[in-house]
């Protein structure tokens, strides 16, 4: 698969047991991956790997599309190993566009939030269930 092509697989929803589509976008040069699925009426984006100006495009497309289509978007960031100002700017833009919740930020993401002060602006939760209920 070329680095910016999407593949569709299925994911079993823990809430209903139903099969839901899961969109996967990968950027092999950065090891970044974006998985997306619906959970209890909110859109979940699970990001992993490194995000900077060269690798942010798949995540940007996923977040901005979801923010226009869903009242609440959750971004799971526990597997983000590197993030810079491009990542931070994207999150702020998405937050301004719609209702963004950050879930389980990795140490790298928490550090970036703390340095920039964004942790006082964005809604941060420890679990998908908690963020979906908020």
């Amino acid at each position: 698969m070329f680095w910016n092509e999407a593949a569709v697989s299925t994911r079993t929803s823990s809430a209903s047991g139903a099969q839901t589509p899961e969109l996967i976008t990968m950027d092999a040069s950065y090891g970044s991956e974006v998985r997306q699925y619906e959970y209890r009426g909110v859109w979940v984006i699970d990001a992993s790997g490194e995000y900077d100006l060269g690798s942010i495009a798949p995540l940007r497309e996923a977040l901005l599309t979801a923010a226009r289509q869903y009242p609440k978007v959750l971004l799971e960031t526990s597997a983000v190993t590197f993030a810079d100002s491009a990542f931070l700017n994207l999150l702020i833009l998405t937050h301004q566009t719609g209702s963004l919740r950050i879930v389980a930020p990795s140490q790298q993401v928490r550090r970036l939030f703390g340095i920039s002060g964004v942790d006082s602006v964005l809604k941060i939760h420890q679990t998908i269930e908690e963020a979906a209920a908020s």
Side-chain angles (χ1 to χ4, degrees):
M1 173 170 35
F2 190 66
W3 76 270
N4 65 351
E5 290 181 25
V8 177
S9 66
T10 59
R11 175 185 186 97
T12 302
S13 170
S14 60
S16 66
Q19 295 289 316
T20 52
E22 178 179 17
L23 181 64
I24 303 171
T25 307
M26 292 186 264
D27 182 340
S29 63
Y30 287 87
S32 60
E33 184 175 67
V34 177
R35 291 189 170 105
Q36 306 179 62
Y37 57 95
E38 188 173 7
Y39 176 79
R40 296 186 181 174
V42 300
W43 196 248
V44 179
I45 298 173
D46 186 355
S48 63
E50 301 178 6
Y51 292 96
D52 62 14
L53 191 58
S55 63
I56 201 75
L59 182 58
R60 179 178 53 240
E61 182 179 332
L63 280 171
L64 297 179
T65 298
R68 283 186 234 110
Q69 295 178 355
Y70 286 84
K72 191 183 302 181
V73 177
L74 312 182
L75 177 61
E76 214 281 11
T77 61
S78 63
V80 172
T81 56
F82 176 81
D84 69 1
S85 61
F87 180 82
L88 191 60
N89 287 333
L90 173 60
L91 299 187
I92 293 167
L93 176 63
T94 305
H95 173 71
Q96 292 172 339
T97 304
S99 182
L100 176 66
R101 308 283 198 275
I102 306 300
V103 179
S106 66
Q107 181 177 351
Q108 169 65 25
V109 172
R110 282 193 315 269
R111 184 170 185 270
L112 181 63
F113 287 178
I115 290 170
S116 65
V118 168
D119 53 352
S120 65
V121 175
L122 297 175
K123 297 174 184 171
I124 301 170
H125 301 276
Q126 292 307 309
T127 67
I128 290 173
E129 292 79 12
E130 177 187 308
S134 71

